[in-house]
Amino acid sequence: GQQVMQIPQYQHVQEGEDFTTYCNSSTTLSNIQWYKQRPGGHPVFLIQLVKSGEVKKQKRLTFQFGEAKKNSSLHITATQTTDVGTYFCAAPKTRNTGKLIFGQGTTLQVKP
Amino acid sequence: SQTIHQWPATLVQPVGSPLSLECTVEGTSNPNLYWYRQAAGRGLQLLFYSVGIGQISSEVPQNLSASRPQDRQFILSSKKLLLSDSGFYLCAWSRLGAMGEKLFFGSGTQLSVL
């Protein structure tokens, strides 16, 4: 079945450094979503990318969807301690369904 | 506004005991409903998916079952728990019929089977 691979699994950075997590699929994705899960919490929707080559920004977060719609990335500029958590990408299992397949997640630790 | 309630927050159960986790959604009609499981330090695995009352799609063979007795109620059950059933269980909803609609998650249930 469809899989979404996400790397790295863990990332430790010094506060102020940048951070990037990558998501890859062997098949073309109709769209990709990103979620953030704070320690002890539940995943919260961040953004959805639909178009080939799309780039969206939310303050210090930049989301990209590849031209072939098979990969995506989330980049955080100048991390802060509030960025700590696990970031997941997710894509529909099949077209026209709400069933999302999640990547394994990247857990970000930020040292103050 | 829409809200999703999931309970209990934590549960410790012995092996072989039954399980019932409940999830309800308020403020929306005909939602898609989901049960996901998250093993410690791992990603989210889709367990069940429902588009309507009595309509359940099982995504992986397992020791669990799901039911949707009412439009906005989703229940996860087991007759006999296994050690491997331990994990963080998350209920979620999305808008019916919308491709790629975002998921709204409940606060989760941490299940420990001992």
Side-chain angles (χ1 to χ4, degrees), chain B residues 33-65:
Chain B
L33 294 173
Y34 311 79
W35 280 109
Y36 279 86
R37 177 170 60 200
Q38 185 175 30
R42 304 285 297 279
L44 287 83
Q45 180 186 33
L46 179 60
L47 302 177
F48 298 98
Y49 167 66
S50 173
V51 297
I53 295 174
Q55 300 179 62
I56 310 293
S57 169
S58 176
E59 295 300 309
V60 292
Q62 56 206 320
N63 183 43
L64 303 167
S65 62

Side-chain angles (χ1 to χ4, degrees), chain A residues 79-111:
Chain A
T79 54
Q80 300 176 358
T81 54
T82 53
D83 296 324
V84 164
T86 301
Y87 294 85
F88 293 97
C89 59
K93 185 176 181 181
T94 55
R95 282 187 177 275
N96 298 322
T97 75
K99 290 187 276 188
L100 291 184
I101 301 301
F102 281 76
Q104 300 93 323
T106 297
T107 298
L108 172 64
Q109 299 276 13
V110 179
K111 298 176 225 177

Side-chain angles (χ1 to χ4, degrees), chain B residues 82-100:
Chain B
L82 306 172
L83 287 174
S84 57
D85 292 324
S86 293
F88 190 47
Y89 288 83
L90 289 155
C91 180
W93 74 273
S94 70
R95 290 181 181 84
L96 179 68
M99 183 183 71

